[in-house]
């Protein structure tokens, strides 16, 4: 059999980079660069370059397994599917459909996620969610409230047209390395780069102005910039009058707020706040980029609203190079939300609490009844499981035992379930707690579409067969449905995409023939003649009256404060060579060699009195528990602050599970800790 090149997509972050897999005798043996791919131009980050190391790894799950005592034993697919269906049906009969929780996967394609939420709702459960709850749920609800659409307004390529790039709460050179390609092009074209981040990062190295803000003071900084823009007559009054609502309330909100007060609250000199505001407002095209440094707070939704409102105030939206760029984390987290994998929404962001949504999908799916929402979010499911209200869960491609905040609580919740199904490609920490483990096909082993952070929908065909007896997610979900007496429809990804075209207006014109071409299309794409949408909100916003709703917000104190016992503020984040729970990247030798263990960055001023030296093993303790990590003494973090990457299980033992009351996201970025040497 001859060697062939199969077009594919990187399965890691949400940039959506293209690549070719070199396939020989049914096995992927190499990666070649896709130089004509519009988002990446052939470039790949370290993770993208190493994808075959986990795809072909010996640890891949190859056959179904059930728990027998503390061990797992291999079983047939028939037994596994019967066990899955019986376990779900038993819990529904005993406790009602609302006792079941479902987590869809942002590593799976759109078609699998569409079918997963459909299964949940056909069974009568509104409790379906995904990992966006832990990273960008404030984007969905915050941008949705202000602009009408909870997605990136522009696209990655368009960054090169920006004359100012304001990055706040994002270290995109590590979390989304290919984005720095377009930011650098903008800088080469004369753009000014402003970075607001408490840490010194590789992103801040790009900056012309680095605002080292006090952790948790993002709204204070944004309000300070807004105050300067209003007081100095830099607001775009024509844009505000013609296209927005809420300016009088915003002006009143800022009336007694001073630049000096903003400086005091943020630890950023007043002159630097003013300079940033002037550059951002005066630029012909300003981009605002943010990520989890904005969203993972008890005020995450308000943080997002403040970012969007700043862009509206300066008229920096709806034009080339001007808009709001939320930097999403997983390869299909945008698509998962689009497909209705959220507690608040049916597919296409139809509100689950709106009777019209229920009637629409009852007609579309030809069923008599569907559950009203909102259902429980993933964080609420944890609490409900502890209380015995959620008694069974079906998880696909999610690892809450590593990824949720305060994971000792998560473990206790999962342990309290009567029945847990985990569908995965590796035996993750969560899978080890399951009653039933189902081996899933990885991205290269199945057909389907994926939606990147820039709303780009792309199709890939199966490149290689699944390993062992692993099966495509669509097949597994359909087979479980059949055993429960349900006809979910769409046995192939193409069939499901056709249904998505009918029922999700943003995807109506995104047929297989159109999105299977290199680069795909960006939604909204309302019909088959539409070219897709590069820039949102050019003429009107996605609100009922077409006007954006400026938000007047105030900062809220963190859910946890430092104290004499816990004097250091701990924050968490991504590093370039690892991804989420590490289940994939930590099986890649080339990546593990670069960062093989959990570490904590400590400022020299904090390390010295604790007699901690660079390279020492230390314990990082919070009220929730402790984690061991290697000390890295560095001025990258400010005095009184520490930083840990979250790709190792220890980190989220100690993170705060204080919740944003609107989006229900945990406050990963703000935990009070103390650091001790290990005797």
């Amino acid at each position: 059999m001859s060697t062939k090149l199969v077009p594919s997509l990187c399965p890691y972050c949400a940039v959506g980079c293209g690549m070719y897999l070199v396939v020989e005798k049914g096995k992927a043996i190499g990666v070649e660069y896709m130089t004509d791919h519009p988002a990446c131009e052939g470039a790949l980050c370290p993770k993208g370059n190493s994808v075959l190391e986990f795809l072909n790894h010996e640890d891949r799950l190859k056959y179904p397994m059930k728990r027998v005592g503390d061990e797992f034993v291999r079983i047939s697919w028939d037994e596994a599917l019967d066990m899955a269906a019986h376990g779900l049906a038993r819990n529904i009969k005993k406790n009602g459909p609302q006792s079941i929780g479902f987590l869809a996967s942002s590593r799976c394609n759109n078609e699998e996620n569409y079918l997963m939420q459909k299964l949940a709702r056909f069974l009568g459960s509104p409790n379906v969610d995904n990992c966006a709850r832990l990273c960008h749920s404030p984007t969905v609800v915050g941008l949705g409230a202000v602009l009408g659409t909870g997605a990136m307004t522009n696209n990655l390529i368009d960054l090169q047209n920006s004359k100012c790039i304001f990055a706040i709460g994002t270290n995109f050179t590590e979390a989304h390395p290919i984005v720095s390609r377009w930011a650098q092009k903008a800088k080469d074209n004369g753009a000014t780069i402003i970075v607001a981040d408490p840490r010194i990062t590789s992103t801040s190295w790009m900056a012309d102005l680095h605002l080292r803000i006090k952790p948790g003071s993002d709204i204070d900084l944004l309000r300070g910039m807004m105050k300067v823009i209003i007081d100095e007559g830099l607001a775009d009054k024509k844009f505000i009058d013609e296209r927005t609502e809420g300016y009088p309330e915003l002006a009143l909100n800022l009336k007694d707020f001073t630049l000096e007060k903003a400086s005091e609250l943020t630890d950023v000199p007043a002159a630097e706040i003013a300079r940033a505001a002037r550059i951002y407002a005066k630029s012909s095209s300003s981009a605002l980029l943010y990520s989890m440094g904005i969203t993972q707070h008890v005020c995450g939704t308000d943080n997002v609203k403040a970012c969007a409102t700043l862009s509206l105030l300066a008229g920096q939206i709806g034009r080339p190079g001007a808009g709001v760029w939320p930097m999403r984390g997983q390869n299909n987290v945008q698509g998962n939300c689009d497909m209705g994998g959220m507690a608040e929404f049916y597919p296409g962001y139809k509100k689950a609490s709106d009777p019209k949504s229920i009637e629409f999908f009852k007609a579309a799916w030809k069923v008599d009844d569907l559950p009203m929402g909102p259902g429980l979010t993933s964080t609420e499911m944890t609490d409900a499981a502890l209380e015995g209200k959620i008694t069974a869960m079906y998880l696909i491609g999610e690892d809450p035992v590593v990824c949720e905040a305060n994971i000792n609580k998560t473990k206790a919740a999962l342990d309290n379930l009567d029945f847990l199904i985990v569908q995965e490609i590796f035996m993750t920490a969560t899978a080890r707690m399951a009653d039933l483990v189902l081996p899933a096909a990885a991205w290269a082993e199945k057909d389907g579409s994926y939606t990147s952070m820039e709303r780009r929908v792309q199709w890939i065909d199966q490149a290689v067969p699944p390993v062992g007896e692993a099966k495509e997610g669509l097949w597994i979900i359909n087979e479980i449905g059949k055993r429960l007496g349900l006809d979910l429809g769409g046995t192939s990804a193409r069939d499901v995409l056709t249904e998505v075209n009918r029922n999700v207006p943003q995807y109506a014109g995104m047929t297989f023939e159109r999105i299977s071409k290199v680069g795909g299309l960006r939604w909204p794409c309302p019909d088959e003649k539409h070219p897709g949408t590069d820039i949102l909100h050019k003429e009107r916003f996605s609100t009922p009256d077409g006007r954006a709703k400026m938000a007047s917000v105030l900062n809220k104190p963190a859910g946890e404060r430092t104290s004499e016992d816990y004097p250091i503020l701990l924050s968490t984040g991504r590093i370039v060579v690892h991804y989420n729970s590490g289940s994939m990247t930590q099986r890649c030798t080339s990546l593990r060699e670069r960062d093989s263990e959990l570490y904590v960055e400590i400022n020299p001023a904090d390390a010295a009195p604790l007699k901690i030296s660079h390279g020492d093993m230390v314990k990082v303790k919070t009220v929730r528990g402790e984690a061991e990590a290697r000390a890295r003494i560095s001025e990258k973090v400010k005095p009184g602050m520490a930083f840990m990457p979250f790709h190792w299980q220890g980190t989220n033992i100690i993170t705060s599970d204080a919740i944003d009351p609107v989006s229900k996201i945990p406050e990963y970025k703000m935990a009070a800790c103390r650091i001790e040497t290990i005797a």
Side-chain angles (χ1 to χ4, degrees), residues 401-560:
V401 169
V402 179
C403 295
E404 286 198 359
N406 187 8
I407 59 176
N408 285 332
K409 175 181 170 183
T410 303
K411 286 181 181 179
L414 295 182
D415 205 39
N416 204 39
L417 294 172
D418 291 338
F419 189 55
L420 174 62
I421 308 168
V422 174
Q423 189 169 307
E424 256 293 357
I425 62 174
F426 291 112
M427 183 62 85
T428 61
T430 302
R432 284 193 287 272
M433 297 192 68
D435 298 289
L436 176 64
V437 177
L438 304 177
W443 98 102
E445 299 164 346
K446 57 192 175 186
D447 302 333
S449 65
Y450 297 82
T451 307
S452 73
M453 68 167 80
E454 55 173 349
R455 298 171 282 105
R456 185 189 296 275
V457 184
Q458 305 176 86
W459 180 276
I460 59 172
D461 289 319
Q462 182 187 55
V464 293
V467 298
E469 295 179 11
K471 299 286 188 181
E472 295 186 37
L474 276 187
W475 182 88
I476 299 171
I477 297 165
N478 263 311
E479 289 298 317
I480 292 174
K482 285 178 187 176
R483 283 162 170 78
L484 289 162
L486 305 173
D487 180 7
L488 298 174
T491 54
S492 74
R494 288 198 198 185
D495 289 344
V496 177
L497 177 62
T498 300
E499 183 176 329
V500 170
N501 296 152
R502 289 197 304 268
N503 295 332
V504 180
Q506 299 93 322
Y507 284 65
M510 291 187 165
T511 61
F512 164 75
E513 291 75 18
R514 300 188 77 200
I515 65 171
S516 58
K517 295 174 182 176
V518 171
L521 292 168
R522 298 186 191 94
W523 68 254
C525 182
D527 59 63
E528 291 187 33
K529 293 183 179 178
H530 195 280
T533 305
D534 289 342
I535 300 173
L536 297 176
H537 317 309
K538 281 185 173 181
E539 296 173 0
R540 70 187 308 278
F541 290 93
S542 309
T543 55
D545 63 3
R547 297 171 75 90
K549 317 299 179 187
M550 285 185 165
S552 297
V553 297
L554 298 172
N555 204 1
K556 295 173 186 169
E560 194 164 286

Side-chain angles (χ1 to χ4, degrees), residues 504-672:
V504 180
Q506 299 93 322
Y507 284 65
M510 291 187 165
T511 61
F512 164 75
E513 291 75 18
R514 300 188 77 200
I515 65 171
S516 58
K517 295 174 182 176
V518 171
L521 292 168
R522 298 186 191 94
W523 68 254
C525 182
D527 59 63
E528 291 187 33
K529 293 183 179 178
H530 195 280
T533 305
D534 289 342
I535 300 173
L536 297 176
H537 317 309
K538 281 185 173 181
E539 296 173 0
R540 70 187 308 278
F541 290 93
S542 309
T543 55
D545 63 3
R547 297 171 75 90
K549 317 299 179 187
M550 285 185 165
S552 297
V553 297
L554 298 172
N555 204 1
K556 295 173 186 169
E560 194 164 286
R561 303 282 187 96
T562 55
S563 65
E564 187 176 341
D565 288 336
Y566 299 99
I568 295 175
L569 186 64
L570 173 68
S571 188
T572 67
R574 297 185 177 106
I575 59 175
V576 68
V577 296
H578 284 299
Y579 175 76
N580 283 23
S581 70
S583 65
M584 298 190 298
T585 51
Q586 289 182 34
R587 287 180 167 87
C588 298
T589 303
S590 62
L591 301 177
R592 199 173 59 249
E593 284 176 347
R594 292 190 39 193
D595 269 303
S596 61
E597 62 181 349
L598 179 59
Y599 64 85
V600 56
E601 291 178 353
I602 311 167
N603 187 276
D606 297 316
L610 297 172
K611 295 182 170 54
I612 295 172
S613 300
H614 189 83
D616 287 352
M617 287 300 295
V618 297
K619 285 184 179 178
V620 186
K621 296 183 176 181
T622 70
V623 292
R624 288 161 293 280
E626 62 183 48
E628 292 189 4
R630 184 78 62 185
R632 293 188 181 181
I633 312 305
S634 172
E635 293 188 355
K636 288 181 179 179
V637 288
K638 296 159 71 85
M641 179 187 176
F643 171 84
M644 294 171 71
F646 55 58
H647 312 294
W648 286 268
Q649 189 171 4
T651 303
N652 283 327
I653 291 173
I654 56 179
T655 46
S656 171
D657 57 349
I659 295 288
D660 178 330
V662 180
S663 64
K664 313 298 184 184
I665 193 171
E667 190 166 51
Y668 292 93
K669 293 292 184 274
M670 306 282 283

